[in-house]
Amino acid sequence: MTHRQVLEALSGLILGMFVSMLASTVVSSSLPVIVHDLGGDQTAFTWVVTATLLTTAIATPIWGKLADLFNRKLLFQLAIVIFILATAAAGFSQNPGMLITARAVQGIGAGGLAALSQVIMADILSPRERGKYMGLFGAVMAVSTVGGPLLGGVITDAWTWRWNFYVALPVAVVALIIVQKTLHLSPLVHRKVRIDYLGIVLLSAAASLLLIWVSLAGTATGFPWNSVQTYLMVGGAVLATVLFIIVELRSKEPLVPLSMFRNRTFSLAVVASISTGIAMFGASVFLSQYMQLARGATPTQAGLMTIPMIAGLLLASVIIGALISKYGHWKPYLIVGGALLIAGSYTLSTIHYDTNFALVSLYMFLLGAGVGMTMQNLVLVVQNTCKPSELGVASSGVTFFRSLGGTIGVSVMGAALASKVVDLMKEHMPDLVKAIMGLGDKAQYWQQQLSSGTMPEVSTMPQTLRVIIEDIYAQGISHSFLIGVPFAVLSLLAILFIPNKPLNRMTNVERMQAGEADLATVSVPEAMETLAHTGSIPVGGSTDASTRRGPDDR
């Protein structure tokens, strides 16, 4: 493909990524309003987000494996169609359960778009060139992340939150058309295909049980940590994981080839990606909640107030991606990114309802820059070292663990927030009663609002009551951010030990055509000895006459 053809094809991939990110972020600023209108509580709020992350995490390695077996362009288009249908269904939701179900199906399509865009990019660009384009992908993610909450807030305030979902539909249709017209990939080598259905079932069971347990355990609407449900869910998740490993070791076409974990780069990148996922997803969800519930902002204002984090992500993605492509060095930037993740996570754990917003902006910028430096570049270094035939599962493997980390992070942070808020409500009960009693004829209304268990609309509360609720939620949310700090430290340690291998200049298709794996088995002394005796250097160890060139063939 020419440079122009590459850019045209990338535009379709970028639009697909944009629309999947947009659908996830456009509701973040209006989620408190959505959950309130549908009669949901804090658990429903967390599950509206977690459902999408859960199915995205499960679907990502499945799409990645299918990308190594089937037509990648067709799979990408199928993911867009699933995404479009689920997004439309979410807009018609009548209760929290319907919305959560639609968001779960939406995650299946989003997982395909996330995994396949990375794989297809590797087909048409070399790792050395890919740096700046991955920076572009990061920039698009940043724009959709900041544009989503802003757009969602404006739409919610001007019309209704249902249009948050409908707005993504025309963009998805345009992406589908562009991909059809501009993306032209070399066909895969035809071979007998075996799909690891049992592996898919076991992976889904293990991830689902674990994440459902994390979301519901210890909450007011769930069950205690020390309960029969906990033992059944955790035991089931462990059993499903063990069976999944056994099945993958015996399968001819494993969903996740466990041999990849022998590659130190892949294993360490997976560990580092978990922390990045927690930082990215956790911050996007709970920062918006902080702005509305701890600072009394409207949905539109909440979107505007998260701009510093997105600015950090945008600048880091574009600038660092360009520097990696120009000079070929990636590790120093990843190390700095890991350090910024630690700094951002820790400083956000110190915020209160009355913290100077300039400081909060700085903390958000640090976290955003850390995510921008690490997120896409971890996928890049894995693609640089994996076998061409395992590109799909390797790329989606990193994305899977990032999504899994994000899902677990949001679930744990949401559970911690819900538990902390309940404790703080009890602790501040005398102050709350005093504030409500001073509201006169509105006292009964606000008492019912607070006792209903639904998400409060802080921006509409009387000042005396609002200050107490803001303080409670600020303490709960800052407590949740503290959970991400140890994971950020672990991420930096993993990055430090990733082998510093230079980026190669061959696309995945060129690597497959050149037989790079076979060429690597021929040592220089062997090649020189063969040249001395036969006048030719063997390709891939072959001595067939059709692959040799003699002195007269120059």
Side-chain angles (χ1 to χ4, degrees):
M1 299 176 68
T2 64
H3 180 66
R4 179 176 177 178
Q5 290 174 324
V6 168
L7 290 177
E8 289 174 347
L10 283 178
S11 64
L13 299 181
I14 288 174
L15 266 184
M17 281 288 292
F18 174 76
V19 76
S20 67
M21 288 293 297
L22 182 67
S24 298
T25 60
V26 75
V27 298
S28 61
S29 60
S30 51
L31 263 184
V33 176
I34 295 173
V35 175
H36 178 270
D37 286 353
L38 294 178
D41 54 13
Q42 179 64 47
T43 301
F45 181 97
T46 303
W47 264 104
V48 170
V49 179
T50 304
T52 306
L53 297 179
L54 170 62
T55 51
T56 299
I58 294 172
T60 297
I62 298 173
W63 286 107
K65 183 61 184 179
L66 293 176
D68 289 334
L69 303 176
F70 299 105
N71 186 307
R72 291 167 179 169
K73 176 180 176 179
L74 184 61
L75 289 172
F76 189 83
Q77 293 173 311
L78 177 61
I80 293 179
V81 171
I82 293 173
F83 184 85
I84 290 173
L85 296 177
T87 301
F92 289 102
S93 298
Q94 302 300 311
N95 54 63
M98 183 177 176
L99 176 61
I100 290 168
T101 301
R103 293 275 290 173
V105 179
Q106 194 179 53
I108 296 175
L113 295 174
L116 294 166
S117 61
Q118 305 282 359
V119 177
I120 293 173
M121 186 190 292
D123 278 340
I124 58 180
L125 291 167
S126 71
R128 182 66 181 267
E129 295 175 302
R130 216 174 300 154
K132 58 186 176 183
Y133 290 105
M134 281 198 163
L136 184 59
F137 267 65
V140 168
M141 292 176 71
V143 170
S144 61
T145 304
V146 67
L150 282 174
L151 184 62
V154 170
I155 290 174
T156 301
D157 291 339
W159 298 301
T160 172
W161 58 263
R162 296 184 185 279
W163 282 94
N164 286 341
F165 298 101
Y166 303 149
V167 73
L169 298 179
V171 183
V173 172
V174 171
L176 188 66
I177 295 171
I178 291 177
V179 167
Q180 174 62 31
K181 289 189 173 183
T182 63
L183 184 61
H184 307 290
L185 300 177
S186 302
L188 296 176
V189 177
H190 290 289
R191 60 190 178 94
K192 189 175 182 180
V193 173
R194 295 176 182 269
I195 299 178
D196 184 15
Y197 294 107
L198 184 56
I200 292 173
V201 172
L202 290 171
L203 177 66
S204 303
S208 299
L209 285 171
L210 177 64
L211 295 170
I212 292 172
W213 169 68
V214 168
S215 299
L216 298 180
T219 63
T221 55
F223 45 81
W225 291 101
N226 186 16
S227 63
V228 175
Q229 293 95 323
T230 289
Y231 298 132
L232 289 175
M233 286 188 176
V234 174
V238 171
L239 178 61
T241 302
V242 172
L243 292 175
F244 174 73
I245 293 173
I246 294 172
V247 168
E248 296 306 280
L249 290 172
R250 299 170 64 90
S251 176
K252 292 184 178 179
E253 287 283 2
L255 180 65
V256 180
L258 300 181
S259 59
M260 290 194 305
F261 286 95
R262 296 172 189 164
N263 183 334
R264 194 169 66 160
T265 297
F266 177 80
S267 299
L268 292 172
V270 161
V271 174
S273 293
I274 293 174
S275 173
T276 304
I278 292 175
M280 181 175 69
F281 293 113
S284 65
V285 172
F286 294 101
L287 277 176
S288 178
Q289 201 168 3
Y290 167 77
M291 299 305 175
Q292 293 182 65
L293 299 180
R295 301 192 80 102
T298 65
T300 303
Q301 291 169 341
L304 288 169
M305 293 166 80
T306 56
I307 284 180
M309 177 184 166
I310 310 309
L313 200 160
L314 175 65
L315 292 173
S317 295
V318 174
I319 295 173
I320 300 306
L323 291 174
I324 289 175
S325 286
K326 184 175 181 179
Y327 298 109
H329 303 298
W330 54 267
K331 191 161 186 176
Y333 306 118
L334 276 177
I335 293 173
V336 173
L340 290 176
L341 282 178
I342 297 173
S345 299
Y346 175 73
T347 51
L348 283 172
S349 71
T350 65
I351 57 177
H352 298 289
Y353 76 99
D354 56 352
T355 301
N356 188 308
F357 191 71
L359 279 178
V360 178
S361 299
L362 175 62
Y363 303 159
M364 289 190 289
F365 184 88
L366 292 175
L367 189 69
V371 172
M373 287 187 182
T374 56
M375 181 174 58
Q376 295 296 328
N377 293 325
L378 285 170
V379 178
L380 174 64
V381 297
V382 167
Q383 290 180 339
N384 186 54
T385 59
C386 71
K387 298 177 183 177
S389 60
E390 294 182 345
L391 178 70
V393 289
S395 304
S396 62
V398 177
T399 308
F400 165 70
F401 283 101
R402 185 176 70 212
S403 299
L404 186 65
T407 309
I408 293 174
V410 169
S411 300
V412 171
M413 292 169 76
L417 172 60
S419 178
K420 187 72 172 178
V421 165
V422 170
D423 293 341
L424 290 171
M425 284 285 191
K426 293 177 181 177
E427 183 181 324
H428 287 75
M429 188 57 68
D431 297 330
L432 286 170
V433 172
K434 183 179 179 181
I436 290 174
M437 294 299 292
L439 296 177
D441 57 346
K442 295 183 179 180
Q444 185 177 0
Y445 169 78
W446 286 110
Q447 183 181 359
Q448 291 174 348
Q449 286 290 309
L450 291 177
S451 60
S452 65
T454 59
M455 295 288 292
E457 287 190 84
V458 177
S459 61
T460 63
M461 286 183 171
Q463 183 64 26
T464 54
L465 185 60
R466 172 175 169 172
V467 171
I468 301 172
I469 297 299
E470 285 182 348
D471 185 33
I472 288 173
Y473 272 94
Q475 291 184 57
I477 292 169
S478 62
H479 173 71
S480 299
F481 276 116
L482 192 61
I483 294 172
V485 176
F487 290 100
V489 173
L490 182 62
S491 176
L492 178 59
L493 291 174
I495 289 170
L496 289 172
F497 288 100
I498 295 178
N500 192 10
K501 185 176 179 180
L503 300 177
N504 68 60
R505 295 178 178 273
M506 299 176 70
T507 68
N508 191 61
V509 173
E510 289 169 344
R511 287 177 62 193
M512 295 180 73
Q513 292 173 343
E516 186 175 85
D518 287 337
L519 286 170
T521 64
V522 182
S523 65
V524 173
E526 289 174 341
M528 296 305 295
E529 184 179 355
T530 306
L531 178 62
H533 286 87
T534 66
S536 66
I537 297 178
V539 177
S542 173
T543 56
D544 187 89
S546 64
T547 64
R548 292 199 301 264
R549 295 178 64 198
D552 298 330
D553 296 325
R554 288 174 296 185

